[in-house]
Each structure stands twice: as structure tokens, then as C-alpha cells.
Amino acid sequence: MNKFVGKLTITEAIVWIFLSLVLLFTILPIVFMLVASFMDSKQILAMPFSWIPSKEYFTSSDRTFFTNFIKAILGNNNNAIFFRTLFNSLVVAITVSLTTVFLASLCGYGLAKFKFKGNHFIFMAIMATMMIPFEAIMIPLYMVTSSLNMMNSYRGLIIPFLVSAFGVFQMRQYLLTFPSEFLDASRVDGLGEFNIYARIVLPNCTPVIATLGILSFRNQWDNLLWPLLVSQKETMKTIPLYITKFSEEKQTDEGAMMACALLASIPMFLLFGFLSKYFLGGAAVFESRKG
Amino acid sequence: MSKKTKKYSIEQKEARWGLLFTIPCVVFFAIFSFYPIINAFITSLTDAKVLSRTREFVGLKNYIYLFTKDNGGFSLANSMRATLTFTIGTFIPMVVISLIIAVLLMQLRKNKYRGFFQIAYYMPAVLSSVVAASIWMILFDPRGLFNQFSNFILLTSGKDYGWLVNSSMLQASTMIVYFWKYIGYFVILFITGLASIPPTIYEAATVDGANRWKTFWRITLPLLKPTVLLVSVMAMLQCLKTFSTQYMFHQGGAARQPIDVITMNIYFTGIRNGRIARASAMSIILFVIMLVLTLLQFKASNSDDVEY
């Protein structure tokens, strides 16, 4: 759009200043979490706030570099439930992203590449479920889960999220553009239908699979509402519940709370660091929904 | 099946495999989406409670109760107000500002810079909402950074703005958290929309002597209208479902009344107080609101498509 190569114009300078201010707004709270996780409450709420943890906090007799992290992990009653909740969150998020990718690709493939009576109806029905917000059906789901004795279990946490309508939609749209000639050629070669799906279709879907897998993982990592209903036992809590509980009971210890928040964010930061392309891609795919 | 498929067994085979591939998902959505919403509707017409096993049909009594009574101090009317205030106060600034940011990002000369800003703006969306809320809870403390910053901007000194205490400030706080978390996400949606406008149109406009300001109002914005509409409705739907921030703030000690959004009221009424039927009625009301908005979105996006 901009054809003027050379000096920085005034408009451009203003653009840069504005964008940098927004940058500060989005980044500073994250930097704050990072530095605050090494500070004690007194320094976190000091006026004026200093962005560099001062030396005396690490060298004083009752604090070390890792004091906050140890507190975050040990929790309020030293039961060290942190790792258990981390594990629970990982189990739920990984399982859900695997099943979502599997079931959504299966269904999306069926809808995109097979002509059968009711194909369009099934597609529309699945799209219609996108209009049903989870928040509106959580009460009946809760009742069913408790009557099936699935409270405080991985099954209870996972089963309502096995696949998402949006995932099916995304897979179908992607596979519509997949050349049918490949499929026919494999059929001529005598490959079975399921093998075609597993060996030809799936390996050619890696971008959607990555996007969808990350989206599902993130949604579960973020999920507070459903675990709040289903996990009442300490050992079945997930990371968001742990942080919530921790912040209630440790209201005064801001440093430990930030350390806890930081630890809980590490898996997401790692994923984002390695696969940021697919995070941003996921947002972009959503936009194409209008098509 | 028609006669045709009998003649061509290959088509029959295709149909069978197609069904086989789609059936698992169909079954799943039938059990975990359609059944629960019907169940919620039926339950909302009864007097079901968590502890009592029997339930009786009471007609629209729950709905009448919700619209006329105060539900133990946390009325539906208040929840509607809280939800609508939050939604309008969040999605309008979000759409407008993310559009401005996206347009400005497109002015940058190098894709490298644009990519850097996009990633930096997107960072908060990587954090979970509980983490976001816990960071901002500390920032909003009377001695916290954000209060210090407010004092600095508004040229006051040592004033406590009561970000988590004063009822309208508390609502603003939840909006700020949400805005912070999702701004990068919406910037990317707009960037995608902007990138799909062919550059030749801009070149033609430049040749015709249009300046950037004119180009934006006369070309970019009209062509971007479908994206703006889509993103607005999406943002609205997302805001209507907000829960985590409000819940965290309330658990952290903030009053429930000002930020008692409808999802939070469903949770407290249904789960904490065991009033399943009443909570189901609220769920159905939330569902209807979102359904109407989604249908509006479909209508808007179908009738208003732009051809480049």
C-alpha cells in the first residue's frame, strides 16, 4: 500500500507510536506476571512499582529465588497437589485434542467427499449445534454426568468435549478442495476406504490438524466452568481450578499467585513459541467462516 | 434409497462409507448437544431441584418467577443488565480499536514488523482466562500498578479508584481484562479480511488521486463491511458467554451484584443453590438470545456479500 520508500514520514511516526503503545498495553501485564513471581507482596504493591526485583528480597534470610514457586507448588496445606492438577489438565487437553482431530476429520471427510442421502442435512444439523452455547446445556450435562457416576473422573471431564462442530466444519471446508482424483486413483489401486482416509487424507491435512489440535488443547487448558461442576475432589481438579482456589486462600500472597499463574502458562507459552503460525492460523480460519 | 443406487452399487458403497464416517459425530452431537438443550427446556417447565428426585410439571412458572421476582437478591433482570453492559461495553471498543490497529498494521512497510506486532498483540490470548484474571486482580489493587497508572494519567496522586470495589469501576475492570485478552485475536481477524482486498483497487484509487483518509472511508471500509459484521457478531456472542473473569473476581472478594452475568447466575442458581429448573429456564433464555443473534449474523453475511 505504501509506495514511499525512504524517510520516515510524520504519519508513519504516529503509526509507530500508536502501535507501540498498544504493544506496551498487551505485553506489560505479562512481563508483570513474570517479574512479580519473583517478588514478595510488599514489593509487588510498592508505590512506585519497580520492574526489577531488588536484591534484598532474594538474599533475606526467609526468602530465596524460588520461594514463590515453592509456595505455588506446595499449595496452602503442603499437599503439593499442583503436579496432580497439571497432570489432570494435560490428560484432558491432550485426549480432547486427539479425539477432536480424529472424529472431526473422519466426519469432515465423510461430508466433503461422499455423496449420500442426508449429507446436506447432517452438515446443517452439525452446524446448528454451534448455536447451542455450552453454558446453556451445562446443567443437563451435569445432571447426566452425576447420574452416570462420572463426577470426579477423567471420563466426566472429557466426554462432553470429544469433538467440536467447528472442527467438523473446518475439516470439511479444507477437504472440499482436496482433489478427488487422488482418492479414485487409490481406489483403483485397491486401497480400502479406511486406509484411504488414514494414509492419503490424514497426511494431507496437517495444517488443519495442527490448527484444530491446538485450538482444542487451548480450550481445555482454559476451561474453568465444566471442571468447576465436575471436579469436586482435590485430586481431580484441573489447573484453572487450582489457580482459582489458590487465589482465594492465598489472597495476601500475590507473589505466590503470580508464580502459580506463570507455571500454569508454561505449556501454552511453549506451544505458542513453537507453533505460533498455527495459533494465528486458527484465528484466520475462523474468519473464513463466512464463506 | 432410490432405484438408481440399486443399479449402481458403487454409489451404494459410497453412501455406506459416507454414513459410516459421519455417524460417530452425528451420535455425539445428538447426545451432547441436541438432547441436553431439549432436556434443559423440559426441565425448565418443571420444579426440579438437585436434592429431590421427583419433579412436577409447572408450566411457565419458572419463567414468570424469573421475570417478576428477584431470585434471592440476584435477579434475572440484574443479570441481563450486567451481561448487556459487559457485552456492549466490550465488543464495541474491541471491534473499533482492533479495526484501527489492523489498518495501521497494514501501513507498515515490512511484513516482518507486522508479524512481530501481531504476535505481541496475540500473547495475552495465549494465557488462560483464569491467569489473565489473576494478573489483573493484582494490577487493580488500590496499591497496584493499574491504579498507579490511572493516577499518573488523570494527574491525581494517591487516589484509590476502587477498580474492584466501586460497582461501575468493577464492571469496567472486567471489560478491560476481556479487551486485553482478546484484542490481538480480533486484530488478526481484521488483518485477514484486509489482506483479501486486492491491492489493484488501492493502486487504482491512488492513480485517481485519493489520499489515504479517503481511501479508507471510500474503499477499505465498504469492502470490509462483511468482515466487520461477522467479527462484531462473533465478539458479541463471545461476550454474552463470559464467565471466568467475573467468577475469578468474585472469588477474589469482589461483589457479585454488579458483575453477575447470566452464566454466573446460572452457575450459582443451578449448582450452588441446587435450583436446577430455574437455572434451566435461564439457560433457555441465554440460548434464545444467542440464537437470535446468530440468525441475524447469517442473514447479514448472506445478503451483504461483497465481490472484489
Side-chain angles (χ1 to χ4, degrees):
Chain A
M1 211 145 96
N2 189 358
K3 289 278 185 300
F4 312 97
V5 185
K7 277 179 295 180
L8 199 68
T9 62
I10 293 173
T11 348
E12 272 183 323
I14 293 170
V15 168
W16 272 94
I17 291 169
F18 179 78
L19 292 177
S20 308
L21 285 177
V22 178
L23 182 81
L24 287 179
F25 171 69
T26 54
I27 289 300
L28 281 185
I30 298 176
V31 178
F32 171 80
M33 169 175 76
L34 201 74
V35 294
S37 58
F38 294 102
M39 296 173 170
D40 69 358
S41 305
K42 228 193 313 171
Q43 206 191 349
I44 290 173
L45 296 173
M47 297 199 278
F49 181 77
S50 90
W51 285 90
I52 300 152
S54 72
K55 232 185 194 166
E56 57 189 283
Y57 287 104
F58 302 138
T59 47
S60 67
S61 55
D62 57 333
R63 285 186 73 82
T64 61
F65 195 70
F66 296 111
T67 300
N68 287 333
F69 292 95
I70 292 164
K71 272 192 203 158
I73 288 169
L74 290 181
N76 46 311
N77 42 7
N78 284 357
N79 53 5
I81 206 170
F82 174 81
F83 289 111
R84 176 68 202 223
T85 58
L86 189 73
F87 177 75
N88 291 345
S89 271
L90 281 174
V91 169
V92 173
I94 290 173
T95 316
V96 167
S97 48
L98 289 179
T99 59
T100 303
V101 165
F102 174 63
L103 290 172
S105 60
L106 207 60
C107 186
Y109 174 52
L111 290 174
K113 288 296 169 196
F114 292 85
K115 278 194 216 91
F116 57 92
K117 214 176 166 186
N119 180 319
H120 188 67
F121 175 76
I122 290 177
F123 178 62
M124 290 320 277
I126 292 178
M127 288 304 95
T129 65
M130 286 212 268
M131 292 186 217
I132 304 174
F134 179 78
E135 290 74 5
I137 55 173
M138 66 181 181
I139 300 282
L141 283 176
Y142 168 78
M143 298 300 281
V144 172
T145 313
S146 77
S147 67
L148 292 177
N149 278 326
M150 296 205 299
M151 304 292 276
N152 294 310
S153 72
Y154 288 123
R155 278 172 302 156
L157 283 169
I158 290 167
I159 288 176
F161 304 100
L162 283 179
V163 66
S164 71
F166 177 63
V168 174
F169 172 80
Q170 219 179 331
M171 281 292 174
R172 175 187 175 266
Q173 297 311 89
Y174 187 80
L175 284 169
L176 278 178
T177 61
F178 189 81
S180 297
E181 288 79 16
F182 281 144
L183 307 175
D184 290 335
S186 325
R187 279 186 194 117
V188 171
D189 288 347
L191 212 58
E193 289 295 335
F194 191 79
N195 274 329
I196 294 178
Y197 159 77
R199 299 209 197 144
I200 312 283
V201 177
L202 269 192
N204 281 298
C205 289
T206 34
V208 216
I209 288 177
T211 312
L212 186 59
I214 285 174
L215 194 76
S216 324
F217 185 93
R218 204 248 306 260
N219 284 345
Q220 287 313 307
W221 197 260
D222 201 357
N223 198 350
L224 170 70
L225 193 47
W226 184 242
L228 200 58
L229 307 193
V230 176
S231 312
Q232 273 128 15
K233 262 199 342 227
E234 287 284 302
T235 48
M236 282 313 294
K237 292 214 151 104
T238 54
I239 277 287
L241 282 184
Y242 182 78
I243 300 176
T244 316
K245 205 85 179 103
F246 194 82
S247 69
E248 278 164 45
E249 284 155 7
K250 291 260 171 178
Q251 260 185 59
T252 44
D253 200 341
E254 284 83 2
M257 190 163 133
M258 286 297 91
C260 186
L262 181 64
L263 288 176
S265 309
I266 288 174
M268 289 315 294
F269 278 134
L270 285 178
L271 264 186
F272 187 61
F274 289 115
L275 300 165
S276 64
K277 186 171 86 177
Y278 296 112
F279 274 83
L280 306 184
V285 170
F286 217 92
E287 207 270 338
S288 66
R289 194 145 77 99
K290 67 180 165 182
Chain B
M1 289 285 155
S2 64
K3 280 176 209 156
K4 222 168 123 195
T5 46
K6 263 181 200 159
K7 243 197 287 184
Y8 302 106
S9 68
I10 196 158
E11 274 183 23
Q12 216 171 9
K13 205 182 138 204
E14 188 182 333
R16 203 183 311 136
W17 277 102
L19 271 176
L20 209 64
F21 282 141
T22 44
I23 281 295
C25 280
V26 172
V27 173
F28 174 85
F29 289 118
I31 300 176
F32 290 99
S33 286
F34 287 117
Y35 168 70
I37 196 75
I38 294 165
N39 185 312
F41 181 65
I42 294 168
T43 311
S44 76
L45 302 174
T46 67
D47 64 349
K49 287 182 198 120
V50 157
L51 292 173
S52 66
R53 282 284 152 212
T54 56
R55 50 172 72 177
E56 257 168 63
F57 182 78
V58 294
L60 293 174
K61 231 170 120 189
N62 286 312
Y63 292 93
I64 295 165
Y65 176 91
L66 283 173
F67 280 111
T68 53
K69 298 274 166 41
D70 74 341
N71 190 25
F74 297 99
S75 65
L76 177 70
N78 177 54
S79 287
M80 296 280 240
R81 177 207 53 78
T83 311
L84 286 182
T85 319
F86 176 81
T87 304
I88 293 169
T90 311
F91 101 89
I92 294 175
M94 184 115 87
V95 170
V96 172
I97 295 176
S98 57
L99 177 60
I100 294 173
I101 294 173
V103 170
L104 292 182
L105 277 177
M106 294 304 275
Q107 311 281 323
L108 293 179
R109 283 182 207 167
K110 284 188 186 154
N111 284 336
K112 199 171 68 183
Y113 300 147
R114 198 181 306 151
F116 166 74
F117 278 115
Q118 276 187 58
I119 286 186
Y121 294 166
Y122 194 78
M123 285 295 266
V126 175
L127 302 175
S128 62
S129 18
V130 173
V131 168
S134 63
I135 295 174
W136 282 91
M137 247 157 78
I138 298 176
L139 295 177
F140 283 136
D141 189 278
R143 293 158 294 165
L145 253 181
F146 202 77
N147 201 46
Q148 291 179 33
F149 175 74
S150 318
N151 274 315
F152 172 74
I153 290 285
L154 299 167
L155 302 172
T156 50
S157 112
K159 189 177 165 195
D160 176 9
Y161 285 91
W163 286 102
L164 296 174
V165 183
N166 181 303
S167 87
S168 45
M169 291 307 254
L170 180 57
Q171 292 181 63
S173 305
T174 56
M175 293 173 197
I176 292 173
V177 177
Y178 209 85
F179 180 85
W180 174 73
K181 186 158 189 276
Y182 288 105
I183 185 79
Y185 177 72
F186 286 98
V187 167
I188 287 165
L189 295 189
F190 277 124
I191 294 260
T192 319
L194 284 168
S196 67
I197 298 176
T200 44
I201 295 184
Y202 289 113
E203 277 157 29
T206 319
V207 170
D208 288 347
N211 60 22
R212 280 193 203 168
W213 189 243
K214 256 190 185 156
T215 316
F216 174 75
W217 287 105
R218 300 273 170 81
I219 294 175
T220 313
L221 208 54
L223 285 180
L224 210 59
K225 208 175 143 200
T227 311
V228 174
L229 263 175
L230 178 92
V231 171
S232 306
V233 179
M234 241 177 67
M236 246 154 91
L237 291 174
Q238 229 179 306
C239 290
L240 285 172
K241 296 196 288 184
T242 177
F243 175 78
S244 303
T245 316
Q246 282 80 359
Y247 179 78
M248 265 300 267
F249 278 14
H250 174 58
Q251 292 305 99
R256 184 179 146 194
Q257 192 81 25
I259 50 170
D260 190 35
V261 288
I262 194 155
T263 47
M264 196 147 104
N265 207 343
I266 294 174
Y267 169 73
F268 276 97
T269 310
I271 307 298
R272 292 273 179 99
N273 301 335
R275 301 262 177 196
I276 296 289
R278 214 176 278 167
S280 296
M282 270 192 249
S283 307
I284 293 297
I285 293 168
L286 173 69
F287 169 62
V288 170
I289 296 173
M290 297 190 63
L291 191 68
V292 170
L293 279 172
T294 319
L295 292 178
L296 277 179
Q297 174 198 351
F298 274 128
K299 229 182 147 199
S301 63
N302 283 341
S303 65
D304 235 20
D305 255 339
V306 175
E307 298 275 334
Y308 297 128

